[in-house]
Amino acid sequence: MQVRLSGKAAEIVKAQIASGLYTSASDFISDIVLRADEFNQLKLERLRREVSIGLEKIKRRELVEFDLD
C-alpha cells in the first residue's frame, strides 16, 4: 500500500523518524493505525458497558421521567 502525505503530516512523519523513535515512515504509520484501532475498540467497549448498565436499569424499572418543558 502506498500513502502520500504532504504538508504538516509529512513533516510530523519526518520528525518522528529523525528523532530515532521510528526507523521508517511505514513503522510510524503502522503504529499510529494500530493505536487508533485500539483507541476505537476501547471506546466501543465503554459504550457497550454503559448501554448494558442502562438496559439493566430499565429491567429493574429504575427509570427517571424527563420533560423538556
Side-chain angles (χ1 to χ4, degrees):
M1 175 187 293
Q2 288 186 345
V3 176
R4 291 186 186 192
L5 302 174
S6 59
K8 183 74 173 173
E11 290 174 26
I12 291 170
V13 173
K14 289 177 186 175
Q16 291 296 314
I17 295 166
S19 75
L21 292 172
Y22 298 92
T23 58
S24 68
S26 180
D27 288 344
F28 178 65
I29 300 300
S30 291
D31 189 39
I32 296 300
V33 169
L34 292 172
R35 287 177 191 230
D37 183 59
E38 183 178 311
F39 177 75
N40 288 334
Q41 291 300 321
L42 288 172
K43 284 183 4 182
L44 185 56
E45 185 180 306
R46 283 187 212 126
L47 178 60
R48 285 182 176 144
R49 191 176 325 125
E50 292 297 321
V51 167
S52 177
I53 290 168
L55 291 173
E56 286 301 316
K57 286 183 176 185
I58 289 171
K59 286 180 186 177
R60 294 190 304 263
R61 299 194 184 276
E62 295 176 5
L63 305 174
V64 176
E65 297 245 354
F66 183 74
D67 187 355
L68 290 174
D69 295 326

